Amino acid sequence: MKKPASSPVQKPRDTKGTILRLLRTMTHDRTLFALALALTVAGNLLALAGPKLAGEAIDAIGPDAILWPVILRKCALMLVCYASSALLSYGLSLLMIHISRGVVYRMREAAFDRLMRLPVRFFDEHPSGDIISRISYDIETVNESLSNDIVQILSTVVTVAGSLFFMATISPRLLLVFCVTVPLSLYLGRRRATVTKPLFRARSRKLGELNSFVEEQLSGLTTLRAYCREDAALERFDGINEEAVQAYYESEYEGSVIGPLVNFINNLSLAMVSAFGALLFCAGQMSIGSISSFILYSRRFSGPINEAANVFAELQSALAAAERVFSLIDEPAEPEDAPDARALCEPRGHVELENVTFGYDPDQPILKNFCVDAQSGRLIAVVGPTGAGKTTLISLLMRFYDAQSGRICVDEGEISGYTMRSLRAAYAMVLQETWLFEGTVYDNLRYANAHATREQVIAAAKAAHADSFIRRLPNGYDTVLTDDGANISKGQKQLLTIARAMLLDSRMVILDEATSNVDTRIEKQIQQAMRRLMAGKTCFVIAHKLSTIESADEILVVNHGEIVERGTHSQLMRAKGFYYTMYRAQFE
């Protein structure tokens, strides 16, 4: 039984921490990052030499003579500077694409690595669509920002600082104009940031919800159509889609205000520079060339600020996406094995549960004082109504969850004292939900035992009554299965998973409705084959069809998390209790 999925928990936004963490990820290769900084500085300084040279060329035009050699030399230097700057900028763009690719690779690798280490509880509590959105859309958003916006921001810093320096050398008094306009731009930008930050967080969250809904509907498309719920699904999709679109609109709308505001202030500063520059010229304190250079530098100074404001919204989106990815990477992993944990080697298969109590919510226990003594080689069947806690028992045996109280032992040793890897490898498991991976039938059968020979694979397929249909596939055992085996039936998928479990040389076996998708004739044959091949192994069978577990060594009847009856089929039938009622209900 799974705990109902809940919405992703939203944490306070840490912009500074996210930026620093992104920078640490970018500087993984310090040489490349240092080269990117060098290209940024060199390219922008070369571009900044242009206005200075232009002013000197203008001043070479005097009232009495035109100094053509000086003008031509300055123009040639301008051409060299601008061409070199363009080449360096092109190299920087290529380098940043390479750096961003490395960052995205490491982020995606870290996120997937964390997914492989997270406890099962995390996946029970988080929609898969939201998780997929984080490692696909969110990381791609970061990639686009790193390869485009970061270059622009780096260029802005160098250009603004360089322009400020050159303007200070030309006319410190005229520079006072920016003491009014720059603080005003920063103030307005900061005010808008407080509005846009939560909007971009909401945008990423809504996209995750949309992905989760679409995935759920596509997974259950057959059921959806069987109940004629297409219109209802479309109606729900429209609502979720409307929320996602609205979140996009609000974030983009509020973000779009920043650019025009800053652009207006920059134009205001240009007008003020022109007016005060004209006054200084009339007073004989500035030349026309100096005024021209100052105006060009003022455009260099304000232009990048305006461009940075335009990409500010995109950066906010990237930071929101990066934070969601980092929050996934920071999720606490499954607890490590105890320092003194030992490997479960060659288990005999004696499994014992002593007064085990467990609930996904500790205040609402699902299993209560659960006691089982499964001796090696015995087949233990667990039956009961839906929600009684049968599947939860599997999660505890495999240590996907730890019990709140009581002991679970294998071969007289508590499972917490074994390494989780060796404990789980000691079980072969076939679940009602069949999971096949993209690859050939042969590869899927060898998934649990990579050392199995082709003869062993075919033998297991024959024992599971899968060999005949496999040979009818287009390429037999080399037929490629795609999209969780969408090109074969559910019953055939179930046979493949049973054959796969048979190949695993485990002393303990868990079957959760393992024959639910096969017909009765094949089901009987599979039961006989599995008993024959799993002789001497401890088997836990969870079944709804009681006819499949009549030969079990012991049947545990579970209701409301407690064992209300136990015994063989004949004993329970003679007792005419809860099991008797369930059995008669199925056949009547």
Side-chain angles (χ1 to χ4, degrees):
M1 174 186 292
K2 284 188 177 184
K3 189 177 179 181
S6 60
S7 300
V9 177
Q10 295 301 307
K11 300 178 181 179
R13 182 69 180 269
D14 182 10
T15 303
K16 181 180 178 181
T18 303
I19 292 175
L20 291 176
R21 192 162 179 179
L22 269 176
L23 287 176
R24 285 197 297 270
T25 308
M26 290 178 63
T27 55
H28 179 79
D29 191 331
R30 298 176 187 269
T31 303
L32 288 180
F33 190 73
L35 180 59
L37 290 178
L39 289 176
T40 302
V41 173
N44 284 277
L45 288 180
L46 285 170
L48 287 171
K52 186 75 172 176
L53 294 170
E56 293 173 354
I58 292 174
D59 284 338
I61 304 175
D64 300 324
I66 299 176
L67 305 176
W68 285 107
V70 175
I71 295 173
L72 292 175
R73 186 169 64 252
K74 299 299 181 182
C75 290
L77 286 174
M78 286 174 60
L79 180 62
V80 170
C81 288
Y82 284 135
S84 300
S85 176
L87 288 174
L88 291 176
S89 296
Y90 175 70
L92 176 62
S93 297
L94 295 180
L95 184 60
M96 286 305 299
I97 291 173
H98 181 77
I99 291 175
S100 65
R101 183 180 65 179
V103 171
V104 167
Y105 174 83
R106 287 188 290 274
M107 287 183 69
R108 191 165 283 143
E109 183 182 44
F112 192 78
D113 179 73
R114 179 58 57 172
L115 287 176
M116 294 297 100
R117 300 174 187 273
L118 289 176
V120 172
R121 181 184 293 274
F122 176 85
F123 300 98
D124 287 348
E125 296 177 350
H126 291 77
S128 56
D130 179 69
I131 298 173
I132 294 172
S133 178
R134 296 193 196 197
I135 63 176
S136 57
Y137 166 77
D138 287 335
I139 291 182
E140 189 56 37
T141 300
V142 174
N143 176 36
E144 293 176 2
S145 179
L146 289 178
S147 58
N148 299 312
D149 301 336
I150 295 298
V151 172
Q152 191 165 341
I153 294 298
L154 290 174
S155 299
T156 294
V157 172
V158 176
T159 301
V160 168
S163 299
L164 191 63
F165 171 78
F166 282 112
M167 286 189 294
T169 60
I170 295 172
S171 176
R173 286 179 295 179
L174 203 56
L175 194 62
L176 293 176
V177 170
F178 296 102
C179 293
V180 177
T181 57
V182 170
L184 184 59
S185 296
L186 295 176
Y187 170 75
L188 291 176
R190 190 175 183 85
R191 286 291 301 271
R192 298 309 303 170
T194 59
V195 176
T196 57
K197 284 179 182 179
L199 295 178
F200 282 106
R201 287 179 65 203
R203 188 174 83 169
S204 292
R205 187 177 68 251
K206 290 298 180 183
L207 182 67
E209 293 175 2
L210 181 65
N211 288 344
S212 181
F213 176 79
V214 171
E215 182 190 20
E216 179 186 69
Q217 299 305 305
L218 291 178
S219 299
L221 188 62
T222 303
T223 303
L224 184 149
R225 288 184 173 174
Y227 286 94
C228 302
R229 298 290 294 175
E230 293 92 338
D231 292 339
L234 284 171
E235 185 177 348
R236 284 190 60 196
F237 176 81
D238 287 343
I240 298 173
N241 189 31
E242 175 63 28
E243 292 178 0
V245 170
Q246 186 64 24
Y248 262 76
Y249 170 78
E250 291 176 357
S251 60
E252 295 295 335
Y253 174 81
E254 295 295 343
S256 66
V257 176
I258 299 174
L261 277 176
V262 175
N263 193 40
F264 168 75
I265 295 171
N266 290 337
N267 288 330
L268 178 64
S269 69
L270 179 62
M272 295 173 66
V273 165
S274 301
F276 289 119
L279 293 176
L280 292 173
F281 173 75
C282 293
Q285 297 179 4
M286 284 189 75
S287 66
I288 292 294
S290 296
I291 294 175
S292 300
S293 295
F294 196 97
I295 290 176
L296 289 174
Y297 279 122
S298 71
R299 296 301 293 174
R300 292 274 183 179
F301 179 79
S302 58
I305 295 179
N306 185 38
E307 292 173 0
N310 289 331
V311 301
F312 186 76
E314 296 178 17
L315 283 176
Q316 291 300 315
S317 177
L319 289 176
E323 186 185 46
R324 278 165 50 83
V325 176
F326 289 140
S327 68
L328 172 62
I329 295 174
D330 293 338
E331 283 287 340
E334 193 170 43
E336 296 287 339
D337 295 321
D340 57 346
R342 63 190 189 279
L344 179 57
C345 301
E346 299 182 359
R348 299 189 310 276
H350 179 199
V351 182
E352 189 175 6
L353 289 81
E354 298 179 2
N355 298 315
V356 171
T357 297
F358 170 78
Y360 298 101
D361 180 350
D363 296 329
Q364 298 178 356
I366 293 177
L367 297 182
K368 308 165 191 173
N369 299 317
F370 211 84
C371 296
V372 178
D373 186 4
Q375 295 292 330
S376 178
R378 289 169 62 83
L379 192 156
I380 307 298
V382 185
V383 301
T386 300
K390 304 184 297 298
T391 303
T392 298
L393 174 62
I394 293 176
S395 296
L396 295 179
L397 291 175
M398 299 288 287
R399 210 183 162 199
F400 295 144
Y401 290 87
D402 287 323
Q404 271 95 43
S405 63
R407 298 170 68 242
I408 302 177
C409 300
V410 175
D411 295 346
E412 289 75 46
E414 285 198 52
I415 60 174
S416 59
Y418 297 119
T419 61
M420 281 184 281
R421 190 179 186 88
S422 65
L423 173 68
R424 292 167 184 171
Y427 287 94
M429 184 158 49
V430 181
L431 302 179
Q432 184 176 5
E433 295 180 357
T434 57
W435 290 105
L436 298 175
F437 303 91
E438 185 171 354
T440 64
V441 172
Y442 179 72
D443 291 335
N444 269 277
L445 292 177
R446 294 177 71 243
Y447 187 80
N449 184 2
H451 302 291
T453 64
R454 195 170 187 90
E455 291 73 19
Q456 290 173 320
V457 169
I458 295 174
K462 287 180 178 179
H465 299 275
D467 179 72
S468 58
F469 91 78
I470 293 174
R471 294 187 183 279
R472 291 195 300 270
L473 294 175
N475 296 309
Y477 282 85
D478 296 318
T479 300
V480 175
L481 302 177
T482 58
D483 193 18
D484 189 27
N487 46 344
I488 60 176
S489 71
K490 284 189 175 181
Q492 291 171 334
K493 288 195 291 184
Q494 191 76 73
L495 294 177
L496 292 181
T497 58
I498 293 171
R500 182 168 61 192
M502 289 180 175
L503 277 172
L504 187 62
D505 186 20
S506 301
R507 295 292 303 169
M508 297 173 288
V509 180
I510 294 175
L511 307 173
D512 184 1
E513 285 297 317
T515 58
S516 59
N517 291 320
V518 298
D519 60 62
T520 304
R521 180 181 60 84
I522 295 296
E523 180 182 48
K524 295 275 187 190
Q525 295 173 347
I526 291 175
Q527 290 292 336
Q528 294 170 4
M530 293 183 75
R531 284 302 299 268
R532 187 167 60 251
L533 292 174
M534 296 181 181
K537 298 182 180 181
T538 306
C539 301
F540 289 90
V541 179
I542 294 177
H544 288 290
K545 292 192 285 187
L546 303 184
S547 61
T548 63
I549 46 92
E550 292 179 2
S551 60
D553 296 309
E554 184 177 25
I555 299 173
L556 306 178
V557 185
V558 181
N559 192 25
H560 299 300
E562 298 179 314
I563 299 176
V564 295
E565 286 183 305
R566 66 173 74 213
T568 63
H569 171 74
S570 58
Q571 290 171 342
L572 294 174
M573 291 298 289
R574 285 197 300 270
K576 294 189 177 182
F578 194 81
Y579 178 83
Y580 175 83
T581 304
M582 290 176 58
Y583 192 88
R584 292 291 300 272
Q586 284 194 7
F587 289 97
E588 290 180 357

